[in-house]
């Protein structure tokens, strides 16, 4: 079945540092890929998505590129802020009518001033 | 435009009891999915409802059941609660695009924190 693997955490960075969070997936066909963010005490918010190979999703300074050849969707940000501290989840869904989301375990990012 | 709402926010039950969680989808959305998020884990898909029918189901026992109403709101019922059912239960809504072939983005509610003692 489909699966998503995220790098082990937690990750602690200083403000303005460069961020990379690795995500790889196993799936048949051409799934859509997502990054969701969960701030403390809140539900999940969609951060960005990509629906086909070589697409780049971007939002709030975060970027991720759909790499079919390496089955990856790594999340990057050039300069993190304290307000970026949260849990980040990589997820996929198969194309079709409202298919389920399959999530990775998530990684906690802490940004210190 | 109201987003996805869930009630209650928190709930404490004892083993063997039954619980009902409620979800109202985002305006214009017709599909509701439920997820269970255990502490420190990613959400796990429970099931999805569209047109008042269960369309997809994850690997959860029959103790987990649901319902969708004509106004698209939904309920998640869990019978014979176990300690392991303690988790954050997330509801997500989406809209089936015309033609039914496109997976639209799912929008999540804040969740219901269920504690089973």
């Amino acid at each position: 079945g489909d699966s998503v693997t995220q790098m082990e955490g937690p990750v602690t960075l200083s403000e303005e540092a460069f961020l990379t969070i690795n995500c790889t997936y196993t799936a048949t066909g051409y799934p859509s890929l997502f990054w969701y963010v969960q701030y403390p005490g809140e539900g999940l918010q969609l951060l960005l998505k990509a629906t086909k190979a070589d697409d780049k999703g971007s939002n709030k300074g975060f970027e991720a590129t759909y790499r079919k050849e390496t089955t990856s969707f790594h999340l990057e940000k050039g300069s993190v802020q304290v307000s970026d501290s949260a849990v980040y989840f990589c997820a996929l869904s198969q194309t079709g009518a409202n298919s389920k989301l399959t999530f990775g375990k998530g990684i906690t990012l802490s940004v210190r001033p | 435009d109201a987003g996805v709402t869930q009630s209650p926010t928190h709930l404490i039950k004892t083993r063997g009891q039954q619980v009902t969680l409620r979800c109202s989808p985002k305006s214009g959305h017709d599909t509701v999915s439920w997820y269970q998020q255990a502490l420190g884990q990613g959400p796990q898909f429970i099931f999805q409802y569209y047109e008042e029918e269960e369309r997809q189901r994850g690997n959860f026992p029959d103790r987990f059941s649901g319902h969708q109403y004509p106004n698209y709101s939904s309920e998640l019922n869990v019978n014979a609660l176990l300690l392991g059912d303690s988790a954050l239960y997330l509801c997500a809504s989406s809209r089936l695009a015309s033609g039914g072939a496109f997976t639209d983005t799912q929008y999540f509610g804040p969740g219901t924190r269920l504690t089973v003692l």
Side-chain angles (χ1 to χ4, degrees):
Chain A
D2 296 345
S3 66
V4 175
T5 302
Q6 293 185 233
M7 59 184 279
E8 293 289 326
V11 173
T12 302
L13 295 173
S14 297
E15 203 165 25
E16 299 184 1
F18 183 84
L19 169 71
T20 298
I21 301 177
N22 290 342
C23 170
T24 58
Y25 68 90
T26 301
T28 56
Y30 299 90
S32 294
L33 302 176
F34 305 82
W35 277 100
Y36 280 86
V37 59
Q38 188 172 37
Y39 296 102
E42 299 184 11
L44 297 173
Q45 298 178 23
L46 176 66
L47 183 58
L48 52 84
K49 69 176 183 180
T51 57
K52 61 182 186 294
D54 299 325
D55 265 4
K56 178 185 285 188
S58 62
N59 186 28
K60 298 181 180 180
F62 290 90
E63 293 183 339
T65 301
Y66 190 141
R67 301 290 188 195
K68 181 69 175 173
E69 64 277 12
T70 55
T71 62
S72 65
F73 193 55
H74 304 323
L75 181 68
E76 296 182 337
K77 187 175 186 183
S79 177
V80 294
Q81 305 300 312
V82 173
S83 58
D84 294 327
S85 298
V87 182
Y88 292 81
F89 293 94
C90 184
L92 68 82
S93 72
Q94 292 291 355
T95 54
N98 286 290
S99 189
K100 66 176 183 178
L101 282 163
T102 298
F103 286 89
K105 289 186 175 181
I107 187 169
T108 299
L109 170 66
S110 298
V111 180
R112 53 178 183 239
Chain B
D1 177 25
V4 180
T5 60
Q6 293 186 242
S7 63
T9 305
H10 296 88
L11 205 50
I12 299 175
K13 293 285 187 179
T14 57
R15 280 177 295 175
Q17 285 189 312
Q18 179 266 343
V19 68
T20 297
L21 310 181
R22 296 178 174 81
C23 171
S24 291
K26 183 179 170 65
S27 178
H29 285 186
D30 54 15
T31 303
V32 173
S33 302
W34 287 92
Y35 294 81
Q36 180 195 65
Q37 185 181 12
L39 197 62
Q41 300 295 317
Q44 298 291 316
F45 175 76
I46 303 174
F47 44 54
Q48 183 182 85
Y49 277 83
Y50 173 71
E51 291 189 337
E52 302 179 49
E53 290 190 0
E54 183 182 292
R55 289 172 57 90
Q56 285 186 286
R57 188 178 183 91
N59 188 26
F60 279 80
D62 292 345
R63 298 186 298 108
F64 289 77
S65 63
H67 187 78
Q68 186 180 35
Y69 294 92
N71 67 353
Y72 309 120
S73 66
S74 177
E75 290 181 352
L76 163 65
N77 300 292
V78 187
N79 294 321
L81 285 166
L82 304 174
L83 295 179
D85 295 332
S86 296
L88 180 68
Y89 288 85
L90 296 166
C91 168
S93 74
S94 55
R95 179 179 52 84
L96 188 66
S98 58
F102 179 72
T103 300
D104 207 348
T105 301
Q106 295 188 26
Y107 293 85
F108 284 81
T112 293
R113 173 73 64 186
L114 172 65
T115 302
V116 182
L117 302 177

